[in-house]
Amino acid sequence: MAEIPLLSVRNLVVEFPSRRGTLRAIDDVSFDIAEGEVLGMVGESGAGKSLTGAAIIGLLEPPGRIAGGEILLRGERIDNLAAEPMRRIRGKRIGMVFQDPLTSLNPLYTVAEQLIETIRTHISCTERVARERAIALLDRVGIPAARRRIDDYPHHFSGGMRQRVVIALALAAEPDLVIADEPTTALDVSVQAQIIDVLKEICAERGASVMLITHDMGVIAETADRVAVLYAGRLAEIGPVRDVIQAAEHPYTQGLMGSIPTLTQTDTRLVQIPGSMPRLDAIPKGCPFNPRCPHVMDRCRHDRPVLIARGSKREVACWLYEAVREEVHHG
Amino acid sequence: MTAFIIRRLLQSILVMLTVALVAFALFRFVGDPIASMVGQETTLAERQELREMLGLNDPFIVQFFTFVSRAVVGDFGISYRLQQPVMELILSRLPATLELALVSGFFAFIFGVGFGVYTALRRGGWLSSSIMTISLIGVSLPTFLIGVLLIWVFAVEFQWLPSFGRGDVVDLGGWWRTGLLTESGRASLILPAITLGLYQMTLIMRLVRAEMLEVLRTDYIKFARARGLTNRAVHFGHALKNTLVPVITITGLQLGSIIAFAIITETVFQWPGVGALFINSVRFVDVPVMAAYLMLIALVFVVINLIVDLLYYVVDPRLRVDRAGAGH
């Protein structure tokens, strides 16, 4: 029997009812995150990366709602929980780091107040114990002189330092899963790597899994164990990060990889995918990528591709590989 | 911080001088004070003598300087109408107005914030919608009409509350007569306080609601939820505190307007405060009282502004830049 994954997302559908009909922002997305694993989630803006994260932690903003599928945490459904049990899961079992550290912290409370409040919400302990834990946490995320700086307000810290504080807050109650939604996008390039390292190290140390949402393939390559590629709210490809980067199978992923500059590259121009991602109210029939795909076939315009297993660890949603599978079956 | 206070004090003095100039200049045009002071049979020579005695023949600048230097020590001269020192008159009427203004300000703030928070959190609920609709009445009905309606319902129809006056008052230390310590005093306060505070309450309520909805959309509220904080902590610990920062300014300034606009309410309820005193002075062109009242209201606004700015420092740590090593 296979081990139960820490998080299992099954056929997730997220919809936004609007006056002009219901918009389907996430359509039939499935993936697992194993214990201690780092799953990277890439895609363009609007592909549904952040929405997937919000759906998992139960913070979809109305009128957005989960319209189908299920989300399981250690085998237990959490997508249909009532508000109060779901609140207990947030912070305690699933932590979240947001994009902009400048706006993630409440400006009117000191770092100590926010950390202690979070710790004491989930763990029953005295103020003094919580404070010691908070100092240890700040120290661990790399705030120099944590004991002295803990009583400072957020505006006393730089962007990179604030993101460290945010990470400390997200990890305060030792969650099993940390959803990091573009944790470095708003930061200086020089501190991005440090923040990713801190996040990765601490999570590894505590055995916490990470779902790393980003549009930066470089970050994924260095950090993630596996990567999931989203396009127009649908999963295009998922697999071990090394395989996907070295031999991308979905034409969209291939395009993404072609648009990353490398040092050894001799061409002067980067490859660009023609066109842009469809709007939610105009997703084409069949494969959503078909108008931009260089390998488009007749079938792609009518039938939506299903996820096709490629080896034991990879899956890709593209009709190009259906033929291959059939050949294997017949041969 | 000290530099800030000193700077603000200097600005306040400048504002007060400007108001003094306006008050002084304005009342030079409301008519000849001599004419209202003396009888028909006074001779021209006598008038001239009085004019000289009061300093009315001095150059404008000299008169203004005399006015300001006396005003600084609280001397606004003698009321033409009542033949009493103006300062004494105002001080004896001030407790009534301040009690009315503070009680209605308190009422406006508590209910304004309460309703504002409720309607923001329960957006779309039927009770919220009803409160919002009713609040339109508070905004759109003129104060005197609300006063008259309240008198009609509660004083005339139900006869629960008195319709005019201040009730029995208790003398505290000879300089403050309060109506808060007697039952009739408190009963008399209810209707005028509601009348005076209703507009401010709806204003604060709508402000709190808009501000709260804004704050609830911010990232730090989202992050507070993502950390699993209880709704109570998120709404009242994190959202409300951030909501109150701008609300404090408006509420503070509204307290100034409450005192200033008490004129209408005091007239409707025959409340023996400075507002009623002012209205009577206008009728008799009692220039010293009018000038003093104008200065008093300006002083109230200036002082409240100063306090509001200082409160900002208490509430918002970002303004306290006195720390070394900020922005590490």
Side-chain angles (χ1 to χ4, degrees):
Chain A
M1 193 185 94
E3 205 179 318
I4 297 175
L6 173 68
L7 182 84
S8 186
V9 175
R10 294 275 133 249
N11 310 103
L12 181 68
V13 177
V14 171
E15 287 180 346
F16 284 83
S18 78
R19 286 210 185 109
R20 285 167 297 146
T22 301
L23 300 179
R24 201 163 258 221
I26 296 176
D27 195 353
D28 198 21
V29 166
S30 302
F31 60 89
D32 289 344
I33 301 180
E35 302 271 353
E37 185 183 46
V38 178
L39 175 76
M41 187 154 278
V42 288
E44 294 168 56
S45 309
K49 300 169 303 205
S50 297
L51 277 179
T52 309
I56 292 169
I57 202 165
L59 288 178
L60 275 177
E61 287 192 26
R65 61 188 186 90
I66 296 177
E70 43 190 47
I71 299 167
L72 303 126
L73 186 65
R74 289 229 169 90
E76 285 168 42
R77 274 188 79 167
I78 58 168
D79 56 295
N80 55 0
L81 285 181
E84 181 57 18
M86 193 59 216
R87 178 190 68 73
R88 284 178 213 277
I89 286 177
R90 283 198 288 269
K92 177 73 179 157
R93 296 181 65 191
I94 306 177
M96 187 143 184
V97 175
F98 287 98
Q99 180 172 344
D100 191 351
L102 299 184
T103 56
S104 289
L105 299 167
N106 190 330
L108 302 188
Y109 290 100
T110 64
V111 167
E113 285 166 342
Q114 301 189 44
L115 269 166
I116 291 170
E117 181 185 27
T118 309
I119 292 170
R120 294 193 67 188
T121 299
H122 296 292
I123 300 162
S124 66
C125 62
T126 63
E127 175 105 18
R128 184 191 298 267
V129 171
R131 191 182 165 83
E132 285 306 314
R133 274 184 83 125
I135 292 170
L137 261 168
L138 285 185
D139 199 45
R140 184 61 198 85
V141 294
I143 305 275
R147 188 171 294 277
R148 189 166 55 78
R149 302 223 51 196
I150 190 168
D151 290 311
D152 283 353
Y153 285 93
H155 69 274
H156 292 130
F157 294 88
S158 66
M161 285 294 154
R162 278 194 229 185
Q163 195 63 309
R164 288 172 197 263
V165 172
V166 168
I167 291 172
L169 276 163
L171 288 162
E174 310 208 329
D176 307 319
L177 172 69
V178 176
I179 300 173
D181 189 354
E182 309 247 10
T184 58
T185 308
L187 296 176
D188 243 29
V189 182
S190 55
V191 296
Q192 288 184 356
Q194 296 173 13
I195 294 299
I196 288 290
D197 283 348
V198 165
L199 185 66
K200 198 182 162 185
E201 270 176 38
I202 302 180
C203 290
E205 214 171 86
R206 303 180 172 202
S209 306
V210 180
M211 178 171 149
L212 182 62
I213 298 167
T214 177
H215 54 250
D216 186 343
M217 259 310 198
V219 169
I220 297 277
E222 280 177 39
T223 317
D225 301 314
R226 286 196 307 142
V227 57
V229 181
L230 283 185
Y231 184 82
R234 298 165 192 199
L235 203 55
E237 180 165 8
I238 185 167
V241 85
R242 183 174 295 268
D243 299 355
V244 172
I245 286 177
Q246 286 178 351
E249 295 196 315
H250 196 285
Y252 174 64
T253 322
Q254 289 167 355
L256 271 187
M257 295 302 153
S259 63
I260 301 169
T262 59
L263 286 174
T264 52
Q265 207 162 7
T266 48
D267 298 353
T268 46
R269 288 185 70 89
L270 294 170
V271 184
Q272 204 182 354
I273 309 175
S276 58
M277 204 170 68
R279 284 162 36 136
L280 286 180
D281 55 358
I283 295 176
K285 204 167 173 267
C287 173
F289 189 59
N290 82 67
R292 305 170 73 189
C293 183
H295 309 295
V296 62
M297 302 178 292
D298 216 27
R299 188 178 189 187
C300 305
R301 300 199 177 94
H302 307 292
D303 300 337
R304 182 176 161 182
V306 291
L307 276 175
I308 297 162
R310 303 279 293 156
S312 60
K313 292 174 179 164
R314 297 184 68 174
E315 283 176 298
V316 57
C318 178
W319 290 127
L320 281 176
Y321 303 94
E322 176 74 0
V324 181
R325 193 177 75 168
E326 274 165 9
E327 276 165 27
V328 173
H329 269 293
H330 294 302
Chain B
M1 182 77 184
T2 323
F4 168 80
I5 294 177
I6 292 171
R7 202 165 58 238
R8 285 311 310 263
L9 278 176
L10 288 176
Q11 285 171 359
S12 307
I13 291 171
L14 207 66
V15 170
M16 288 307 294
L17 277 176
T18 313
V19 173
L21 184 66
V22 171
F24 181 72
L26 196 66
F27 295 130
R28 279 168 64 91
F29 301 111
V30 294
D32 187 1
I34 302 294
S36 53
M37 286 173 81
V38 296
Q40 290 274 320
E41 62 279 8
T42 319
T43 64
L44 215 58
E46 280 172 327
R47 285 172 191 247
Q48 201 54 43
E49 197 182 326
L50 188 59
R51 196 178 291 276
E52 190 64 41
M53 199 180 80
L54 289 171
L56 293 176
N57 288 333
D58 294 341
F60 181 84
I61 295 292
V62 176
Q63 288 191 40
F64 179 59
F65 181 77
T66 318
F67 171 74
V68 170
S69 55
R70 284 192 184 150
V72 167
V73 293
D75 177 9
F76 286 94
I78 310 283
S79 160
Y80 298 159
R81 181 171 64 102
L82 300 163
Q83 297 302 321
Q84 283 176 30
V86 172
M87 209 53 198
E88 228 169 73
L89 268 176
I90 286 187
L91 283 180
S92 71
R93 299 289 203 103
L94 200 56
T97 296
L98 284 183
E99 276 179 11
L100 174 63
L102 288 176
V103 168
S104 61
F106 183 74
F107 152 80
F109 184 76
I110 296 296
F111 284 91
V113 171
F115 285 147
V117 168
Y118 181 83
T119 50
L121 293 180
R122 294 263 181 282
R123 199 157 47 119
W126 67 270
L127 190 54
S128 296
S129 311
S130 320
I131 293 174
M132 289 303 288
T133 311
I134 293 169
S135 80
L136 279 175
I137 300 172
V139 177
S140 49
L141 280 189
T143 309
F144 71 86
L145 189 61
I146 292 172
V148 171
L149 281 176
L150 286 176
I151 289 176
W152 177 53
V153 174
F154 293 101
V156 179
E157 289 298 323
F158 293 119
Q159 307 211 335
W160 286 343
L161 296 164
S163 63
F164 70 92
R166 224 188 146 194
D168 298 328
V169 291
V170 177
D171 206 321
L172 295 178
W175 55 276
W176 188 285
R177 284 187 301 165
T178 178
L180 294 175
L181 295 177
T182 63
E183 199 162 318
S184 70
R186 284 193 295 268
S188 304
L189 191 58
I190 295 174
L191 290 185
I194 291 176
T195 306
L196 186 54
L198 200 63
Y199 176 77
Q200 324 292 337
M201 186 199 85
T202 49
L203 198 76
I204 292 172
M205 177 192 126
R206 286 174 167 266
L207 180 74
V208 167
R209 181 184 127 94
E211 205 58 48
M212 185 96 172
L213 287 175
E214 192 72 31
V215 169
L216 285 174
R217 273 195 293 269
T218 58
D219 285 351
Y220 55 82
I221 292 301
K222 236 191 284 175
F223 188 46
R225 287 196 202 283
R227 283 183 276 146
L229 302 186
T230 56
N231 270 341
R232 192 194 164 92
V234 172
H235 292 157
F236 298 103
H238 288 264
L240 184 58
K241 191 166 175 184
N242 282 278
T243 301
L244 288 184
V245 174
V247 171
I248 287 173
T249 328
I250 303 293
T251 309
L253 296 180
Q254 288 304 313
L255 189 61
S257 346
I258 286 181
I259 294 173
F261 291 129
I263 292 178
I264 296 166
T265 307
E266 286 183 9
T267 309
V268 171
F269 288 93
Q270 296 176 35
W271 189 261
V274 277
L277 177 73
F278 177 74
I279 287 291
N280 288 330
S281 309
V282 170
R283 213 171 286 155
F284 290 92
V285 200
D286 197 344
V287 175
V289 176
M290 287 155 73
Y293 179 79
L294 206 65
M295 295 293 289
L296 174 80
I297 295 299
L299 184 70
V300 166
F301 268 95
V302 164
V303 169
I304 287 174
N305 253 315
L306 194 65
I307 293 173
V308 164
D309 280 343
L310 293 179
L311 268 181
Y312 253 32
Y313 269 77
V314 178
V315 177
D316 195 338
R318 281 167 298 185
L319 294 174
R320 296 177 219 143
V321 285
D322 48 341
R323 264 183 63 99
H328 168 74

